[in-house]
Amino acid sequence: MIVYRSRVIAALIAGTLGAPAAAADPATPAKTASARSARDSAAALRQAASAGDAQAQYDFASALACGRGVAANAREAARWFGRAAQQGHSRSMGVLGWMYMTGQGVARDDAKALEFLGSAAEQGDTAAQNNLGIVYAQGRGVPADRALAEKWFRRAAEQGAQDAQRNLDALKSGPGKTAQPPLPALRT
């Protein structure tokens, strides 16, 4: 089985994307302080992101994707990942590519997925390299190409990406090993 590895949308795994952010238990001061801190952090990130800081745009988009300090909103997250990607932020490119590949927060678009994943993978983003390997292994929007899948899995695995190593092993073990994988967890 091919395994996704990405930095995006852990809330998808938990099924909380798009659900209102959980309110802290007001009876627990630590939870209340933690929720307030998360809201304050998200507000500061939004301010820095609005000023054009690519890393802040990525961080704010991640907060939106997971509902950390703000209500989860995949569409808004995609918009902020896109802003950072326009500035060459490789992690944002990789996440946005995954979002286009899976249709999370954006309309599924294999061509855009390939474009963003390819750009991030060329910049050395291991999650994007792994996901690009999946694109080629499964023939998602492109003809299936085991050699290209192996190339991208190998590049990520050589940088220590364990999921990519498992995918490389699965690819080498023969046909039929590229089943639809589960959705990825956010890795920040």
Side-chain angles (χ1 to χ4, degrees), residues 13-112:
I13 302 289
T16 59
L17 188 61
D25 180 355
T28 309
K31 286 184 180 179
T32 302
S34 177
R36 187 178 320 113
S37 175
R39 283 191 305 272
D40 292 346
S41 294
L45 280 174
R46 183 181 186 101
Q47 185 175 6
S50 294
D53 181 294
Q55 183 63 45
Q57 290 169 341
Y58 169 81
D59 292 339
F60 183 60
S62 296
L64 284 163
C66 295
R68 285 189 317 248
V70 294
N73 185 329
R75 286 181 197 239
E76 188 70 5
R79 190 171 73 81
W80 284 103
F81 283 129
R83 284 180 161 187
Q86 287 175 346
Q87 295 186 64
H89 192 273
S90 65
R91 286 188 215 149
S92 293
M93 289 178 200
V95 170
L96 200 54
W98 178 85
M99 292 177 89
Y100 278 111
M101 186 168 75
T102 60
Q104 300 299 316
V106 295
R108 183 169 171 198
D109 186 325
D110 291 335
K112 285 184 180 180

